[in-house]
Amino acid sequence: VQLVESGGGLVQAGGSLRLSCAASGFTFDDYAIGWFRQAPGKEREGVSCISNNDGTAYYADSVKGRFTISSDNAKNTVYLQMNSLKPEDTAVYYCAALSGFKIRWYHIADEYDYWGQGTQVTVSS
């Protein structure tokens, strides 16, 4: 099983980035993919999640209206489009896979089965 994030980087406030999470080694359609982030000295925070089964998406209040999650099931890849970035969005972003039957717990990091290594997003003011 492998989850590989890409697309992080340094961007000015108000800018955009698109993160990608390429998955392999499991049945993609049976899982949801979530994005979490962790800033230095802070707990890991759920950002967004998408069910690969029916496309239902969930967002944290802090990113609603600015971030969009999408899934390309043909490519086993989930994307997180991040617009209107703020300095407080600075963190390491991780993608993770959640068994579909546990979708009600999409906001709980401990429920996820597999994790990527993370990609750094830095937003300068």
Side-chain angles (χ1 to χ4, degrees):
V1 173
Q2 199 171 21
L3 294 168
V4 179
E5 303 96 336
S6 61
L10 173 64
V11 64
Q12 288 189 332
S16 299
L17 284 173
R18 189 177 80 155
L19 304 183
S20 299
C21 173
S24 61
F26 60 94
T27 305
F28 191 73
D29 291 1
D30 290 344
Y31 282 75
I33 301 294
W35 285 96
F36 289 78
R37 65 186 181 187
Q38 189 165 21
K42 294 189 176 181
E43 292 188 357
R44 192 166 293 193
E45 173 193 19
V47 174
S48 184
C49 180
I50 187 166
S51 167
N52 292 326
N53 178 253
D54 62 10
T56 303
Y58 307 87
Y59 297 95
D61 288 342
S62 59
V63 305
K64 277 181 182 176
R66 299 189 298 123
F67 291 11
T68 303
I69 193 169
S70 61
S71 181
D72 185 337
N73 287 35
K75 295 183 178 180
N76 284 9
T77 300
V78 168
Y79 305 96
L80 186 68
Q81 179 67 44
M82 306 187 296
N83 298 330
S84 302
L85 282 161
K86 305 175 181 180
E88 51 262 45
D89 294 318
T90 295
V92 177
Y93 283 70
Y94 301 89
C95 67
L98 175 73
S99 297
F101 72 92
K102 296 193 286 185
I103 190 66
R104 72 183 69 181
W105 298 292
Y106 70 91
H107 56 292
I108 302 175
D110 287 347
E111 293 292 338
Y112 283 73
D113 302 289
Y114 311 116
W115 288 83
Q117 293 300 307
T119 186
Q120 176 71 46
V121 171
T122 303
V123 184
S124 63
S125 56

